Amino acid sequence: AQSVTQLDSQVPVFEEAPVELRCNYSSSVSVYLFWYVQYPNQGLQLLLKYLSGSTLVKSINGFEAEFNKSQTSFHLRKPSVHISDTAEYFCAVSRTGGGNKLTFGTGTQLKVEL
Amino acid sequence: DAGVTQSPTHLIKTRGQQVTLRCSPKSGHDTVSWYQQALGQGPQFIFQYYEEEERQRGNFPDRFSGHQFPNYSSELNVNALLLGDSALYLCASSASSGRALNEQFFGPGTRLTVL
């Protein structure tokens, strides 16, 4: 079985400041890693994913995450946040291979302030 | 492409009643997964349907059942509703082959309130 820990339930940050949202996972098998974003009253949107290859993955809106196998982490970072980044962010894992269920963390609420 | 659609958007039921939620997958997708997201929590996997059969199941009682139709759309049924079933129910679709094999696309969810 897999599990995901998101240590920070809320992260307040000022606009244009850098941010890091932490994610650690536990699994006895190889995993894929994902970050999803959820805006108020909406479903989940995939932000970025690590399947294989380069351990640093990037999204089109400036977020990046690095897979660290030795530390079983997949922290999400952005060098300069915008008000529009305010949302709930979920880290998730699945076993490698297709069609496997996602196991989510409890989420981190990112609140960007002026 | 309409993406994943779910209906209804909101639903209010009373304890003991039964409810059916519906999901249409993204075009080209043949696999549907259902998740329950309680307030302030991450989504929890309920089950997954592929080729009209339940392929994987999470730790949910058999009051939760589902169905997948030949057009890949899916229903989630919950019987004997409990107050604790109040949650956002999310449907996610994915493809069983191709580049997006390991990517699940989520719908906007159905907000179920049990009184």
Side-chain angles (χ1 to χ4, degrees), chain B residues 1-6 23-29 91 93 105-109:
Chain B
D1 183 2
V4 180
T5 60
Q6 292 186 243
C23 171
S24 291
K26 182 178 169 67
S27 177
H29 287 184
C91 171
S93 72
F105 289 79
F106 283 80

Side-chain angles (χ1 to χ4, degrees), chain A residues 59-106:
Chain A
S59 72
I60 58 173
N61 58 353
F63 283 94
E64 63 180 37
E66 185 157 20
F67 170 52
N68 188 319
K69 188 174 183 179
S70 63
Q71 297 187 4
T72 60
S73 67
F74 191 55
H75 301 330
L76 181 69
R77 301 182 182 93
K78 189 171 186 180
S80 177
V81 295
H82 189 266
I83 284 286
S84 60
D85 293 325
T86 295
E88 187 91 22
Y89 292 79
F90 292 95
C91 181
V93 300
S94 73
R95 289 188 321 171
T96 57
N100 289 302
K101 66 174 185 178
L102 290 167
T103 299
F104 287 87
T106 52

